[in-house]
Amino acid sequence: MNIHNWKAIIEGLLFAAGDEGLTSKQFCSVLELHAQTVDDIINEMKLDYESESRGIRIIEIAGVYQLATKKEHAPYFKKIMETPMNNTLSQAALETLAIVAYKQPITRAEIEDIRGVKTERPIQTLVTKTIIKEVGRVEGTGRAILYGTTKEFLDYFGLKSIEELPKLPENTSEESVQEEADLFFEKFVEAFEDLP
């Protein structure tokens, strides 16, 4: 395999890893390459990304490589982050929001146990849009963040309080729970489409 293929694979791995990033050791394990080869490829990629035509770069923090945006573009990122909610949420974000709404306060690990997949990005999206927020920390080792809904959540869905959420069915089959969840997510989508 040539260097361009390795660069493409590393770029894809970094993108998939998101904020968690990857260590040189993880790259070596996945790519079955020596550490020096991985370091050489990443260093060459860093130089490639320094071009003015590129909007991202590779950073290394505490031995972990991540994709990051360029600092000189920060004013544009700030504008997009400050823009009020103007689009619908992804299915993953809606599922995460429904779990938080019904199970709050809840940790990311608990959400992931329910969804069966990672939820870092959906949580980040919901926090950025001020629909959920940190409401505390779990006592004990690690002190995981607890998430809950915000006043904005209630405003968006026209609720006076969290108690106005539709009641979940009790003692139902897995199939009917899935149907209820699908219906609930459809209502979420419709509510967000009606927002200005």
Side-chain angles (χ1 to χ4, degrees):
M1 193 175 302
N2 67 39
I3 186 131
H4 297 294
N5 295 110
W6 288 123
K7 285 181 180 180
I9 294 168
I10 289 172
E11 183 177 57
L13 289 170
L14 285 170
F15 180 80
D19 293 341
E20 293 179 17
L22 294 167
T23 64
S24 182
K25 185 176 180 180
Q26 288 172 307
F27 279 121
C28 292
S29 173
V30 171
L31 302 174
E32 298 177 355
L33 295 173
H34 294 291
Q36 187 59 54
T37 305
V38 168
D39 291 341
D40 289 345
I41 294 170
I42 291 174
N43 286 331
E44 192 172 318
M45 290 175 71
K46 285 180 180 180
L47 291 173
D48 294 345
Y49 285 128
E50 286 179 16
S51 161
E52 286 184 19
S53 66
R54 302 302 297 263
I56 57 173
R57 60 195 178 106
I58 296 177
I59 59 171
E60 182 183 0
I61 300 173
V64 176
Y65 293 104
Q66 297 173 284
L67 289 178
T69 55
K70 291 186 173 179
K71 290 179 183 176
E72 57 266 33
H73 300 155
Y76 302 100
F77 305 131
K78 187 175 179 186
K79 282 182 185 177
I80 196 73
M81 297 305 266
E82 291 173 350
T83 302
M85 186 184 314
N86 56 4
N87 56 5
T88 59
L89 293 172
S90 68
Q91 182 73 17
L94 290 173
E95 290 174 6
T96 301
L97 179 56
I99 292 166
V100 172
Y102 280 99
K103 300 284 190 178
Q104 63 185 307
I106 188 169
T107 66
R108 187 176 94 186
E110 291 169 329
I111 296 167
E112 290 173 354
D113 283 346
I114 294 169
R115 286 194 67 229
V117 293
K118 290 204 169 270
T119 58
E120 184 174 336
R121 290 218 185 268
I123 287 174
Q124 187 177 29
T125 298
L126 295 170
V127 168
T128 300
K129 293 180 181 290
T130 67
I131 301 172
I132 66 170
K133 66 178 181 179
E134 181 180 331
V135 295
R137 296 267 182 167
V138 174
E139 293 298 323
T141 309
R143 300 200 25 89
I145 297 171
L146 288 166
Y147 293 97
T149 55
T150 63
K151 180 183 177 300
E152 288 79 5
F153 168 81
L154 297 175
D155 290 342
Y156 289 137
F157 292 100
L159 303 171
K160 291 178 187 165
S161 72
I162 205 71
E163 285 74 31
E164 289 189 352
L165 282 172
K167 299 292 180 228
L168 293 175
E170 294 180 21
N171 300 327
T172 55
S173 69
E174 189 174 315
E175 184 178 307
S176 83
V177 168
Q178 184 60 48
E179 287 172 12
E180 288 287 331
D182 291 342
L183 181 61
F184 183 72
F185 295 139
E186 284 175 27
K187 288 180 184 177
F188 265 50
V189 170
E190 287 169 11
F192 276 97
E193 285 173 347
D194 293 340
L195 292 174

